[in-house]
Structure formats: C-alpha cells, structure tokens
Amino acid sequence: MGTTDNQDLKQAIQILHSAGASCVLVKGDDVVKSDRPGVAALLQLLYSGKSYEGYSAADKVAGKAASMLYIDLKVKAIHGDVMGEGGKQILADYQVDATYDTLVEEIQNRDGTDVCPMDKAVRDLRDPAQAPAVLKATIQVLKAKKN
C-alpha cells in the first residue's frame, strides 16, 4: 500500500528520524512525538482521551501489537521503519495505509532472543479493541517478573 501523497506521513517519518523519537503522529500542524519504548507510548496516547483520528504515524517498530493500537487510535496511515507481517496484515484488514522500510516475519524482543512479548500477547486477537487491556496486563506481568 502506498501513501506517497500523504504530507502528514512524510512529515511524521522525517521527524521520527531527525528527532530520535520512537513514534510520531502528525495531522496538519499538530505533531505528537514520544521516545517511550515499545507500545507504552501508544497506550498513553490511547488513554489520554484525545482523539487521534485522521493522524498519520511513523514508528520505529510496528508489530501487530502496535498496529492494533494505531487502529484503536484511528490513524489513517502508518509507516514502520520495521514492520511485522502481523502488523501489516491487521492494518490491511482495517484499511489503514501502511508503508515500511523493512518487513519481517515477526518482531523480536529487545534481546533478539524471542518474539516480542507484546506481539505474542495479541497473536490470536482479531479485534483491535481487545488489544489495550491485553497489552496492559502483559506489561504488568513483565514488570512483576523484573522485580
């Protein structure tokens, strides 16, 4: 899917790369960026109560978990520097324009030793509306394991 005529998406990609952010959302003059890792930034945006409908997003890593959250945020387009097959498929299923630099079968965890735990958590989900609760619970379990 191509979104080459989307100026918001072009701007989001440019800011993502120049500002060292993990994700950037753009709609006209409104620019939202975060350097929080993983899906934490997207969950924060989702629970902020602000509408991101019609925004375009650029993300360093867009697996299925992140893609489901972007669908919940109602973005119209997303670019992933790295995109997982699961993310690409769910975005296509929900008619969200998607571009990427590198497409991978599965997003890896930060150690590169296994599949990303967030993508594992949503692997069998089909409804993006279920993703936030599942991901929040997964984050809590991971935090508990660290302590």
Side-chain angles (χ1 to χ4, degrees):
M1 290 186 205
T3 52
T4 52
D5 61 341
N6 183 335
Q7 284 305 116
D8 289 344
L9 186 61
K10 287 178 183 175
Q11 184 179 359
I13 294 167
Q14 189 271 322
I15 293 169
L16 179 78
H17 295 148
S18 66
S22 60
C23 68
V24 178
L25 285 79
V26 175
K27 184 176 182 183
D29 293 333
D30 192 18
V31 175
V32 178
K33 57 186 169 185
S34 178
D35 57 6
R36 293 187 72 183
V39 298
L42 300 178
L43 285 168
Q44 185 178 31
L45 293 175
L46 196 59
Y47 291 122
S48 72
K50 180 178 176 185
S51 171
Y52 292 96
E53 187 168 352
Y55 280 65
S56 293
D59 201 307
K60 289 204 177 292
V61 180
K64 184 173 181 181
S67 295
M68 290 180 109
L69 295 176
Y70 280 117
I71 291 165
D72 286 341
L73 288 165
K74 297 180 173 51
V75 300
K76 68 177 182 176
I78 177 174
H79 173 84
D81 284 352
V82 175
M83 184 170 287
E85 291 276 1
K88 179 183 175 205
Q89 185 59 55
I90 197 84
L91 291 166
D93 290 349
Y94 282 84
Q95 288 87 44
V96 176
D97 285 339
T99 61
Y100 50 84
D101 293 330
T102 304
L103 183 66
V104 296
E105 187 174 331
E106 293 187 294
I107 301 299
Q108 296 294 297
N109 64 12
R110 293 197 179 116
D111 299 338
T113 57
D114 196 4
V115 175
C116 165
M118 299 300 123
D119 275 12
K120 267 189 188 177
V122 300
R123 182 177 277 160
D124 297 326
L125 290 185
R126 298 286 169 251
D127 180 1
Q130 296 174 327
V134 169
L135 294 170
K136 257 181 97 171
T138 303
I139 289 169
Q140 293 304 321
V141 169
L142 292 172
K143 280 183 181 175
K145 283 183 182 176
K146 281 186 179 177
N147 296 334

